[in-house]
Amino acid sequence: MTAYIIRRLLFMIPTIFGIMLVSFVVVQFAPGGPIEHIISQLSGTNAGALSRISGSPGGDFGPRALAGGPQSGINSKYRGAQGLDPAFIKSLEKQFGFDKPAYQRFFIMLWNYLRFDFGKSYFRDVSVLELIKEKLPVSISLGIWMTLLSYLISIPLGIRKAVRDGSNFDVWTSSVIIVGYAIPGFLIAVLLIILFAGGSFWQIFPLRGLTSEGWSQFPWWEKILDYFWHLTLPIISMGLSAFATMTLLTKNCFLEELRKQYVLTARAKGCSERKVLYGHIFRNAMLLVVAGFPSAFISAFFAGSLLIETIFSLNGLGLLSFESVLNRDYPVVFANIYIFALIGLVVTLISDLTYTLIDPRIDFETREV
């Protein structure tokens, strides 16, 4: 097992390299960029944007420089740069590191990322690591609790549905699950706000934030209650689709195993139904469920949280990544990609190792990466 873990950890290196390389190349060909973003602000004589840039290193970029001279905007590779002094454009390139060749910028970025040095945000006066640390609690809360709850509810329910396949219980629970799966999470979020967050009916749950004002002064037990009080509606909104998928997957896995010969043999030997389900079927049926854990976790952690974070005013990684892409804040974008990929690879490794807990017959030492 140790040799397998070492091989998988070593395999992460070229995987991360490939992910970052593809992302970097795509960004190079994507239209727009941080310099174009600033130029678009300056072209509208945006005084706020000008005041933020004028303090950057490289010279005085006041109205005189922006007015340009006879060579202003000549041969500029940036859209909307007409009328801007070429010296100003070159200073922006140096400030953002675009005065270096693309391959050099890529390897500098990789070297820094290996040391978890993500630099500073282009448009926020704060380091990328501080930004991520600030937003991470929201994403961790949404991702972990939604995944745990969906597994804790879906697996027992899926097993029950498989055992009582075709019964009234199976039919009505399937109807509820399918309806819940068909409704988008953001619509459920809006409905919950209308019903329970002071929209039109009751004001039972808070509408924004992860904790209440003055949370740090609460007793420990009240902190826990307040924390889950704020999480209730967002987790319900995010969890219905994952809950439905996991329940039906568990049911189908158990149904497939129930029809196999070894189950008939176990029953013929006089094993109880509980022993058949949890002593024989559970190991084999849960392998597919465990295999889906990494994608479910990553989806809950990052991909599925953007709209929910926006609706419930939760400032997490999903919203940060979206805003960074819109603003072409490349340090934040690449740092999020790097962290997402790293967490995904680690969770996949943990998922593989969980196989041995469910079925000790699985031996990874004989497997190739």
Side-chain angles (χ1 to χ4, degrees):
M1 181 62 69
T2 303
Y4 175 76
I5 294 175
I6 293 174
R7 291 200 304 271
R8 285 296 298 270
L9 292 175
L10 292 175
F11 186 70
M12 290 181 185
I13 297 174
T15 304
I16 289 285
F17 179 85
I19 292 172
M20 297 307 296
L21 178 61
V22 171
S23 303
F24 188 84
V25 171
V26 169
V27 165
Q28 301 310 303
F29 289 99
I35 296 180
E36 285 89 339
H37 183 72
I38 292 175
I39 290 174
S40 67
Q41 291 179 315
L42 294 174
S43 61
T45 62
N46 188 324
L50 178 58
S51 64
R52 289 194 295 270
I53 300 303
S54 60
S56 60
D60 176 18
F61 303 116
R64 180 184 56 81
L66 292 179
Q71 296 180 343
S72 296
I74 294 177
N75 296 326
S76 177
K77 59 183 176 180
Y78 302 106
R79 291 178 301 174
Q82 307 302 329
L84 296 181
D85 192 343
F88 174 73
I89 302 297
K90 288 185 179 298
S91 178
L92 287 179
E93 290 179 342
K94 183 176 181 180
Q95 179 183 348
F96 293 127
F98 289 101
D99 57 330
K100 300 182 179 66
Y103 73 90
Q104 190 174 346
R105 286 187 278 118
F106 175 71
F107 284 107
I108 290 174
M109 180 185 70
L110 282 185
W111 171 245
N112 291 333
Y113 282 15
L114 287 175
R115 298 176 289 129
F116 284 88
D117 178 10
F118 300 114
K120 295 188 70 173
S121 168
Y122 284 164
F123 304 107
R124 299 178 177 94
D125 190 21
V126 64
S127 70
V128 175
L129 196 57
E130 287 298 321
L131 269 177
I132 293 175
K133 285 169 60 178
E134 180 186 342
K135 316 299 183 184
L136 198 57
V138 171
S139 296
I140 289 177
S141 298
L142 292 176
I144 289 181
W145 290 117
M146 198 204 82
T147 304
L148 287 177
L149 285 176
S150 65
Y151 269 73
L152 289 174
I153 296 173
S154 299
I155 291 175
L157 180 59
I159 295 173
R160 185 67 173 172
K161 285 172 63 63
V163 172
R164 301 184 61 179
D165 183 43
S167 66
N168 289 333
F169 172 81
D170 180 45
V171 172
W172 74 261
T173 52
S174 294
S175 302
V176 172
I177 288 171
I178 292 172
V179 170
Y181 181 76
I183 302 175
F186 70 91
L187 288 182
I188 295 175
V190 173
L191 177 62
L192 291 176
I193 288 174
I194 292 173
L195 292 177
F196 303 112
S200 299
F201 294 89
W202 305 280
Q203 191 167 1
I204 301 174
F205 296 98
L207 184 57
R208 61 176 61 244
L210 202 58
T211 55
S212 299
E213 187 177 352
W215 182 82
S216 60
Q217 307 299 323
F218 294 171
W220 66 268
W221 58 269
E222 193 172 343
K223 287 182 178 180
I224 296 174
L225 291 177
D226 183 76
Y227 170 73
F228 285 108
W229 183 46
H230 282 76
L231 278 178
T232 300
L233 297 186
I235 288 179
I236 292 174
S237 304
M238 290 179 62
L240 286 181
S241 61
F243 166 78
T245 303
M246 190 56 57
T247 300
L248 295 178
L249 176 61
T250 304
K251 175 191 173 182
N252 292 334
C253 290
F254 269 79
L255 277 178
E256 183 179 353
E257 296 297 323
L258 280 169
R259 300 187 181 101
K260 292 185 177 179
Q261 185 63 42
Y262 74 90
V263 176
L264 298 177
T265 303
R267 286 172 173 166
K269 289 181 177 180
C271 293
S272 65
E273 193 66 20
R274 184 178 182 84
K275 176 67 175 177
V276 171
L277 283 175
Y278 296 100
H280 295 79
I281 297 176
F282 188 83
R283 291 179 180 178
N284 300 323
M286 287 304 296
L287 291 178
L288 284 177
V289 176
V290 172
F293 177 78
S295 60
F297 179 76
I298 296 300
S299 175
F301 210 152
F302 305 113
S305 61
L306 172 59
L307 288 175
I308 302 302
E309 288 178 12
T310 303
I311 292 172
F312 289 100
S313 300
L314 298 172
N315 202 357
L317 287 178
L319 189 58
L320 174 65
S321 301
F322 178 71
E323 291 176 347
S324 301
V325 170
L326 290 182
N327 293 328
R328 303 299 193 268
D329 198 347
Y330 290 158
V332 180
V333 173
F334 285 125
N336 277 303
I337 292 173
Y338 181 80
I339 292 174
F340 293 176
L342 195 59
I343 291 177
L345 291 172
V346 171
V347 170
T348 303
L349 175 60
I350 295 173
S351 177
D352 283 351
L353 299 181
T354 307
Y355 289 152
T356 61
L357 298 177
I358 297 175
D359 191 347
R361 295 172 298 175
I362 296 176
D363 182 14
F364 286 108
E365 293 291 348
T366 59
R367 284 186 55 187
E368 297 290 334
V369 178

